[in-house]
Amino acid sequence: MRVILVAAVVLATLGAGAVYLAWRFVDFGPEASGFDRGAVTFEVTNGCGVPRIARAVADELSHRGFGVYEVGNDSAWEHTAVIDLRDPEGARAEAVAAELSVARRFWFLRLRERLSPEWLVGLDSSRHVDLRLVVGSDYRRFFPDVVALR
């Protein structure tokens, strides 16, 4: 009887620990954000050197509901970044970076910790768009299904 009681306590403790870890670290579904994807205008620039990748990412963003107006080239960037061209606080760039974030994975589980592009402020009043997305060498993290057609 005593062995059964100890086994039950151990199993209950292990079960509670597993439930806690799952609740704490595993992402069970997408969080709804109140961000209006069509409210900002983009230009997408290629900072990784892969031919035509900026066009492919721009098409993907358009399918997701973002307003992409220009595509171009940029100097070499290691990390994908969202640059706010209008707001000195960078609120829109931060919001878009959060929208483009992806869940980190541990085997088949999506973790709550999210990986998002860098965001920064680079005011440029001569541009007619709100944000610039620079596609860096790590673009496959954020756009895994994007393929640059040749």
Side-chain angles (χ1 to χ4, degrees), residues 9-10 16 21 35 105-106 109 116 122 125 147:
V9 169
V10 168
L21 289 174
F35 183 75
R105 294 194 174 271
F106 179 72
L109 298 174
S116 64
S125 61
V147 177

Side-chain angles (χ1 to χ4, degrees), residues 86-124:
R86 299 266 186 238
D87 183 12
E89 303 298 320
R92 285 183 286 198
E94 184 178 14
V96 169
E99 281 289 309
L100 296 177
S101 68
V102 293
R104 289 184 181 237
R105 294 194 174 271
F106 179 72
W107 288 343
F108 60 90
L109 298 174
R110 289 182 305 162
L111 303 179
R112 283 194 181 179
E113 180 184 346
R114 299 188 67 82
L115 179 66
S116 64
E118 294 179 6
W119 66 270
L120 35 111
V121 175
L123 300 178
D124 186 357

Side-chain angles (χ1 to χ4, degrees), residues 43-64:
E43 67 179 359
V44 178
T45 59
N46 182 349
C48 66
V50 176
R52 297 181 186 83
I53 197 66
R55 170 53 54 200
V57 169
D59 291 344
E60 172 69 21
L61 289 173
S62 293
H63 288 295
R64 291 186 191 181

Side-chain angles (χ1 to χ4, degrees), residues 115-135:
L115 179 66
S116 64
E118 294 179 6
W119 66 270
L120 35 111
V121 175
L123 300 178
D124 186 357
S125 61
S126 67
R127 308 299 303 168
H128 65 276
V129 292
D130 300 320
L131 302 170
R132 176 182 301 134
L133 174 70
V134 180
V135 180

Side-chain angles (χ1 to χ4, degrees), residues 32-86:
S33 72
F35 183 75
D36 181 13
R37 293 180 174 188
V40 293
T41 57
F42 270 96
E43 67 179 359
V44 178
T45 59
N46 182 349
C48 66
V50 176
R52 297 181 186 83
I53 197 66
R55 170 53 54 200
V57 169
D59 291 344
E60 172 69 21
L61 289 173
S62 293
H63 288 295
R64 291 186 191 181
F66 290 101
V68 179
Y69 289 96
E70 289 185 29
V71 175
N73 290 317
D74 210 324
S75 58
W77 286 67
E78 184 176 341
H79 299 287
T80 299
V82 181
I83 303 169
D84 203 322
L85 303 175
R86 299 266 186 238

